[in-house]
Amino acid sequence: VVMLSTCQRTISYLMAEKSYRRRIVGDIAWAMGVVPVKRAQDSARSGSGKITLEMAEYITTNDADSDTMQKLKVVGIDTNFEQEIHAKDKIFIKGLGSQYKVISVKSNTELEIAVSSIPSELIGKDPVDYEIMERIDQKVVYEKVMQRLGSGGTIGIFPEGGSHDRTDLLPLKVGVALIAYSALEKDGMSVPIVPVGMSYFRGHRFRGRVTVEYGRPIYIDPG
């Protein structure tokens, strides 16, 4: 809201399609020109049985947002991996609060996941519950964004993947760069990336003061 009231352009934010379909919330989002997108966590479902984790080996992935990852073996108890999970799906493990991409499904009771850090608190521990999140085709997401940019619109993105009230930055996601590169490569659009900073003074108090700073546009180098 702060950016919408201070920016000279009409900003379209990305919003979970699940929320966009809700009454009232969806109506307000439509009026604000929000772009609805699907998210893997919105289709999460409980997996059968329980799982434990075992160490495997280091691997190198081809993901744009990861380098050397640790491969972990997931061992299932009364699970049905071959029917419920596919490679590139994600699983959410209870007790960790993170999503992990599935590398391969070996059998109904064994699969492998890639993690950036070792969840030592669950290695070799008691079986836990988990949820399955089906892979979302990001091409559909980017197509909606490109359509909005191609029509002269402005997209607002939280590069950390969400909003929070911490005083430090969370690790930045690659979505902004992927959109800019895709626009340049596929459509020949040099989309300016405008960094925006918001500083809150007594942000948790009613009518607290906030300062909005707009940085210089950043352009992708075609070379």
Side-chain angles (χ1 to χ4, degrees):
V1 175
V2 173
M3 287 181 58
L4 291 174
S5 61
T6 59
C7 184
Q8 297 180 358
R9 297 180 63 90
T10 300
I11 304 175
S12 298
Y13 288 100
L14 304 185
M15 182 181 189
E17 188 176 271
K18 183 178 181 179
S19 299
Y20 189 82
R21 292 179 177 177
R22 294 176 179 173
R23 296 185 60 184
I24 302 178
V25 173
D27 294 336
I28 296 174
W30 174 83
M32 294 175 61
V34 166
V35 179
V37 296
K38 288 185 177 182
R39 303 184 306 170
Q41 55 265 43
D42 293 333
S43 60
R45 66 183 190 279
S46 297
S48 59
K50 294 180 179 292
I51 59 174
T52 59
L53 303 181
E54 295 181 4
M55 294 290 293
E57 59 186 1
Y58 281 100
I59 60 173
T60 300
T61 70
N62 295 320
D63 294 344
D65 57 348
S66 59
D67 298 310
T68 301
M69 305 285 284
Q70 179 76 22
K71 182 193 294 183
L72 292 183
K73 180 192 296 185
V74 177
V75 178
I77 301 173
D78 297 325
T79 51
N80 196 18
F81 291 156
E82 292 183 318
Q83 281 68 47
E84 296 181 350
I85 306 177
H86 302 88
K88 297 187 177 180
D89 285 348
K90 294 182 179 180
I91 61 173
F92 178 88
I93 303 175
K94 184 177 180 180
L96 292 182
S98 299
Q99 306 168 14
Y100 299 100
K101 181 176 290 186
V102 175
I103 301 173
S104 62
V105 178
K106 301 296 185 180
S107 67
N108 272 330
T109 57
E110 182 182 335
L111 59 79
E112 294 176 327
I113 60 174
V115 300
S116 57
S117 59
I118 306 301
S120 56
E121 63 272 27
L122 287 184
I123 298 295
K125 303 297 182 180
D126 293 336
V128 295
D129 296 320
Y130 65 102
E131 292 184 341
I132 303 168
M133 292 172 283
E134 293 184 3
R135 176 178 176 269
I136 299 297
D137 188 355
Q138 294 299 321
K139 291 182 179 179
V140 177
V141 176
Y142 291 128
E143 282 177 0
K144 292 183 178 180
V145 172
M146 294 306 164
Q147 290 174 1
R148 187 60 58 91
L149 292 174
S151 62
T154 301
I155 297 292
I157 297 178
F158 291 93
E160 298 167 275
S163 59
H164 61 84
D165 58 359
R166 293 173 54 174
T167 57
D168 57 333
L169 287 173
L170 297 177
L172 302 183
K173 305 295 184 179
V174 300
V176 173
L178 287 177
I179 290 172
Y181 273 110
S182 181
L184 182 63
E185 180 181 3
K186 297 180 180 179
D187 302 306
M189 293 188 298
S190 182
V191 178
I193 302 173
V194 181
V196 181
M198 291 184 287
S199 300
Y200 292 89
F201 301 87
R202 298 181 178 178
H204 293 285
R205 296 183 60 178
F206 179 67
R207 296 182 67 85
R209 187 162 61 92
V210 59
T211 300
V212 184
E213 298 179 87
Y214 292 86
R216 293 182 178 181
I218 302 170
Y219 292 88
I220 299 297
D221 184 359

